[in-house]
Amino acid sequence: MSDEKKYYPSKAFQEKAYIKSMEEYQKIYDASIKNPEEFWKEVAKDITWFKPYTSVFEWEDKEKYLYSWFKNGKLNVSYNCLDKHLEKNAEKIALIFQGEEESNVKKYTYKQLHLEVSRFANVLKKHGIKKGDRVSIYMPMIPEFLISLLACARIGAIHSVVFAGYSTQTTKERIEFAKSKMLITADGSLRAGKKINFKEEVSKAIEDIKDIEKILVVKNIDIPLTLKENEYIYQEEVKSLDILDTCEPEEMDSEDPLFILFNSGTVEKPKGTLHTNAGYLVYTKETFKYIFNYHQDDVYWCTADIGWITGHSYLVYGPLANAATVLMYEGIPTFPDNETYWRIIEKHKVNIFYTAPTVIRSLMRYGTDPVKKHDLSSLKLLGSVGEPINPEAWVWYYENIGKSNCPIVDTWWQTESGGFLIAPFPGAFPLKPGFATKPFFGIDADVLREDGSKADVNEPGSVVIKKPWPGMMRTIYGEHQKYLDIYISKYPGYYFCGDRGKIDEDGYFFIIGRMDDVIKVSGHRLGSAEIESALVSNKNVGEAAVVPFPHEIKGQALYAFVILRAGINPSEDLVKELREHVAKEIGPIAKPDKIQFVDSLPKTSSGKIIRRILRAIAYDSEDYGDLSTLYNPEVIEKIKSKKI
Ligand code: WTA
């Protein structure tokens, strides 16, 4: 074993753990790799199938990386998240909603949630939504957000959620790509005490999208609302007499699509990650249970917005498939004050708390006084997701929030993976800050060199996974070739995830960060190309390149190098204008923190920008990589001399 400090689970925790030792993990893991079909077959027994599947895993076309999990099986995901629990858990709380206003609390038992989802599904049906139709969802963090996803799943409609922090332009693109027939939104919401008008924003986004036939608006706050033709208020619709309290779940094929979720990657346009019914359900269910060590009385809180994959998999599907009690919070961690999260943990006696490193870092700034005011003794387990957690934040989280008594599960995964790929089994693994540790059952992960050979111990390389797992994305919606190019072709026989990592002498994975042009700002995934294209759409900008730089709170922030058009002079006002412009085009999360005006950018002779050089400059590193293809070497010193 390596000699870094390790953190062991307490005896009491271990006793209640599903997996109690490294040996036990290793035994199950080895078997799951040797015979994945046997392993997943056992797991799938926990799912209610309307009709049994005929094979656990089958390649349909290996060249094209097309395969089936649980082929020909028929099931319904919402049935497995709701109806299935009615026999034993009808009166158990499924959802605790905590609004931004402290007194705004709503609790739904499984029975009530089942009823709400059935009604919502019936409203969708009444408005012509059928199996296979796409429905875009643009919602604040209110219960109807979660309900609308499950309602789509119930009738076989494919939901496509757009994160509500995106601007109208980005939202429009994502709705257009999905070719959605309906949009579900809310009139507005409270954000840090201010009323935000959702409906108006989103109406602008879809003005000229022909595919959208109807808009369904959930009334949430007291805000003026004007409806046009084909726009409906959910609360009015659900009151109508023909909306029944029950809705037969649609029989879905295992490989029918469940949802599309757009994310940013190396390409300018967003990619629609497509997930299917059975594999995704099986995978999120199993990973949730083991990694969070979920037991039936636990209250689990995931702070992620449902608009991201973490919300989809570990606020909605994974926990509900396990009949868990999930807490959902409407607001942000620093409003009305910096004790908000700790107050919520105390008030609702949260046992499992899952958040992002950026949240920890931003709350660490206020010291431990705000934490000490609250009784956090209900906590048993902490989780981290979205970006590497720096050891300092890890230790602070462990000591001050977990009181040195709660394991931290650092969960490494992606929109593409559906669920956790590498994460600690908390009762079995000694933890090392910053290490996501070992792969989940059935995940054959490795680190490879550029030439495809296996990297040595502690040698950084590409993190790859051999063979598909049930929760793996099936394609980029409508662009299968792009899917193959990005994920499959680089290392034949492996899925390439885009991350750089290394494996240490304990066999623990350490994830270093992205190898491509994906930038994680406060855990949110952004693509440099998208931000660059927003910048050049401003009339003053000729060219732009965007790279990350290290940021104390956000992990990474955005550094934009901008060439202005001829005759335009750099100024502070222009910096402000460009930041606002990006916020308007993409959303406030994409505002560059630094904008440096330059005369030229490092390029190859064919004119391609070499971003890794800019990244090195932004990181104050001299590690530029191979400079042999750099056409204009003098540019490095020039840019460096004016670095912000
Ligand atoms: C990064 C979020 C280090 C990684 C679930 C990955 C992490 C990308 C971790 C996916 C972690 C996520 N440690 N890095 N625990 N979790 N990442 O699609 O670079 O928003 O490829 O999914 O986030 O981001 P996405």
Side-chain angles (χ1 to χ4, degrees):
M1 284 285 251
S2 62
D3 50 15
E4 286 126 290
K5 174 161 185 199
K6 296 186 184 70
Y7 295 78
Y8 290 85
S10 68
K11 271 256 148 11
F13 188 93
Q14 211 160 25
E15 264 163 32
K16 288 208 161 166
Y18 294 115
I19 305 291
K20 295 183 181 5
S21 69
M22 188 60 90
E23 292 68 38
E24 193 182 349
Y25 157 79
Q26 203 63 49
K27 207 169 135 206
I28 304 175
Y29 177 76
D30 291 346
S32 76
I33 296 300
K34 204 164 150 215
N35 193 346
E37 291 173 32
E38 203 43 47
F39 177 81
W40 291 112
K41 188 175 146 190
E42 272 311 299
V43 175
K45 285 184 180 159
D46 233 14
I47 299 294
T48 301
W49 300 91
F50 296 151
K51 289 202 185 104
Y53 54 84
T54 51
S55 66
V56 179
F57 175 80
E58 208 170 294
W59 282 108
E60 304 293 346
D61 182 341
K62 212 166 173 179
E63 283 287 275
K64 296 208 174 104
Y65 224 74
L66 295 172
Y67 51 84
S68 300
W69 278 98
F70 311 109
K71 190 169 174 162
N72 297 323
K74 304 281 183 240
L75 78 168
N76 184 283
V77 169
S78 105
Y79 183 95
N80 274 282
C81 290
L82 300 167
D83 311 46
K84 189 179 165 68
H85 310 316
L86 294 184
E87 199 184 317
K88 282 195 201 134
N89 286 309
E91 301 308 326
K92 178 176 175 176
I93 301 292
L95 176 67
I96 304 171
F97 169 75
Q98 172 64 61
E100 194 175 271
E101 283 169 347
E102 216 187 319
S103 58
N104 182 14
V105 175
K106 292 182 194 148
K107 293 186 183 178
Y108 298 75
T109 61
Y110 270 93
K111 194 165 139 198
Q112 286 164 336
L113 194 60
H114 176 258
L115 176 69
E116 295 294 335
V117 169
S118 303
R119 286 179 178 159
F120 206 111
N122 283 331
V123 171
L124 296 181
K125 272 172 90 174
K126 180 184 163 193
H127 284 282
I129 301 301
K130 298 183 303 297
K131 180 175 177 172
D133 287 342
R134 269 85 55 217
V135 172
S136 284
I137 302 177
Y138 184 91
M139 284 281 249
M141 283 289 281
I142 55 174
E144 288 79 3
F145 196 173
L146 174 143
I147 290 167
S148 65
L149 265 63
L150 291 164
C152 286
R154 191 160 192 91
I155 63 169
I158 305 166
H159 59 73
S160 174
V161 174
V162 181
F163 172 59
Y166 280 131
S167 74
T168 44
Q169 183 54 31
T170 310
T171 305
K172 177 180 173 195
E173 254 175 25
R174 287 164 199 238
I175 296 174
E176 246 170 356
F177 264 106
K179 297 197 175 59
S180 291
K181 228 168 130 177
M182 179 188 260
L183 172 72
I184 304 174
T185 189
D187 55 347
S189 90
L190 270 187
R191 205 174 279 164
K194 270 196 256 133
K195 283 183 185 173
I196 311 281
N197 195 325
F198 267 58
K199 163 67 176 45
E200 225 153 73
E201 276 301 303
V202 84
S203 286
K204 272 187 247 154
I206 61 158
E207 244 158 31
D208 42 48
I209 302 182
K210 284 187 249 29
D211 297 307
I212 295 278
E213 292 169 8
K214 295 184 178 179
I215 305 186
L216 191 60
V217 185
V218 175
K219 192 97 191 73
N220 179 44
I221 54 170
D222 189 17
I223 199 169
L225 175 65
T226 41
L227 295 179
K228 289 191 250 157
E229 208 187 330
N230 293 323
E231 299 184 349
Y232 304 87
I233 295 180
Y234 173 71
Q235 283 84 347
E236 298 296 321
E237 293 306 296
V238 79
K239 266 195 243 154
S240 92
L241 287 179
D242 51 349
I243 296 301
L244 303 176
D245 288 349
T246 56
C247 171
E248 218 29 53
E250 192 72 35
E251 228 178 62
M252 303 301 290
D253 187 85
S254 289
E255 287 294 343
D256 278 337
L258 176 65
F259 68 85
I260 303 168
L261 186 57
F262 286 92
N263 67 21
S264 308
T266 43
V267 280
E268 210 171 286
K269 295 289 166 207
K271 306 182 303 235
T273 305
L274 185 102
H275 284 284
T276 55
N277 276 267
Y280 177 81
L281 175 69
V282 167
Y283 198 68
T284 50
K285 180 170 195 231
E286 189 74 353
T287 47
F288 176 84
K289 175 179 165 187
Y290 280 97
I291 301 302
F292 290 123
N293 199 45
Y294 186 81
H295 285 81
Q296 278 309 309
D297 296 330
D298 292 339
V299 175
Y300 160 82
W301 180 16
C302 168
T303 68
D305 192 290
I306 294 177
W308 305 103
I309 191 69
T310 306
H312 278 55
S313 299
Y314 296 110
L315 201 158
V316 183
Y317 293 112
L320 296 179
N322 281 286
T325 298
V326 185
L327 188 139
M328 168 179 189
Y329 177 53
E330 183 180 27
I332 57 167
T334 46
F335 183 86
D337 54 40
N338 52 37
E339 293 167 34
T340 305
Y341 273 16
W342 320 134
R343 189 180 302 118
I344 294 174
I345 291 176
E346 177 175 20
K347 176 173 171 187
H348 295 287
K349 301 199 171 41
V350 172
N351 305 112
I352 303 169
F353 176 61
Y354 189 37
T355 195
T358 186
V359 169
I360 307 299
R361 288 191 296 262
S362 70
L363 295 174
M364 258 169 86
R365 276 187 303 177
Y366 304 106
T368 52
D369 286 349
V371 184
K372 284 185 192 143
K373 287 194 209 156
H374 299 280
D375 175 6
L376 305 184
S377 61
S378 57
L379 287 172
K380 294 198 254 185
L381 181 82
L382 305 172
S384 171
V385 61
E387 46 173 325
I389 179 162
N390 48 311
E392 195 198 350
W394 195 103
V395 171
W396 190 87
Y397 193 25
Y398 185 82
E399 290 178 350
N400 297 296
I401 309 307
K403 315 291 178 199
S404 301
N405 197 33
C406 303
I408 298 179
V409 288
D410 179 0
T411 60
W412 175 76
W413 60 296
Q414 316 178 286
T415 307
E416 292 88 336
S417 74
F420 306 145
L421 289 171
I422 299 180
F425 283 72
F429 291 8
L431 302 172
K432 293 193 280 190
F435 286 81
T437 73
K438 294 192 173 212
F440 193 73
F441 300 140
I443 300 296
D444 197 352
D446 216 334
V447 172
L448 301 183
R449 300 193 179 112
E450 196 59 20
D451 65 5
S453 60
K454 197 172 157 56
D456 280 336
V457 169
N458 284 322
E459 179 188 350
S462 307
V463 183
V464 294
I465 292 147
K466 211 172 173 173
K467 289 195 264 175
W469 60 98
M472 183 182 184
M473 74 185 287
R474 298 300 191 260
T475 189
I476 298 177
Y477 185 63
E479 300 176 284
H480 197 67
Q481 189 55 44
K482 202 188 262 177
Y483 166 78
L484 297 176
D485 295 346
I486 296 175
Y487 302 105
I488 308 299
S489 310
K490 193 163 160 62
Y491 295 100
Y494 294 93
Y495 163 80
F496 169 56
C497 67
D499 278 9
R500 211 171 150 70
K502 56 186 184 180
I503 307 176
D504 78 352
E505 50 279 9
D506 295 330
Y508 276 24
F509 282 72
F510 183 92
I511 304 296
I512 301 167
R514 298 291 306 191
M515 301 176 74
D516 53 14
D517 297 319
V518 170
I519 307 176
K520 281 286 183 132
V521 178
S522 300
H524 298 326
R525 180 166 169 164
L526 298 165
S528 10
E530 259 179 298
I531 305 159
E532 288 160 7
S533 111
L535 281 166
V536 295
S537 72
N538 180 282
K539 60 184 188 310
N540 300 305
V541 175
E543 255 185 286
V546 175
V547 295
F549 73 95
H551 188 282
E552 210 185 326
I553 308 278
K554 300 180 186 177
Q556 292 186 323
L558 303 172
Y559 196 137
F561 297 89
V562 170
I563 303 181
L564 293 173
R565 282 177 189 265
I568 308 290
N569 292 320
S571 69
E572 270 310 306
D573 283 346
L574 195 49
V575 169
K576 272 196 209 126
E577 180 184 328
L578 293 182
R579 296 185 73 227
E580 286 316 314
H581 179 76
V582 175
K584 205 173 124 266
E585 289 290 304
I586 302 179
I589 48 169
K591 269 189 198 176
D593 275 56
K594 294 184 182 180
I595 297 183
Q596 180 178 347
F597 297 112
V598 296
D599 301 326
S600 47
L601 292 164
K603 285 188 179 172
T604 63
S605 55
S606 61
K608 207 169 159 268
I609 299 171
I610 312 180
R611 289 200 191 83
R612 74 181 131 82
I613 295 178
L614 296 170
R615 202 179 303 137
I617 296 176
Y619 268 77
D620 281 325
S621 150
E622 302 268 302
D623 187 10
Y624 303 122
D626 177 16
L627 291 182
S628 62
T629 56
L630 176 62
Y631 178 70
N632 49 349
E634 73 290 348
V635 78
I636 298 186
E637 283 314 313
K638 249 176 126 175
I639 294 180
K640 264 175 79 175
S641 67
K642 299 227 172 94
K643 189 180 169 265
I644 302 172

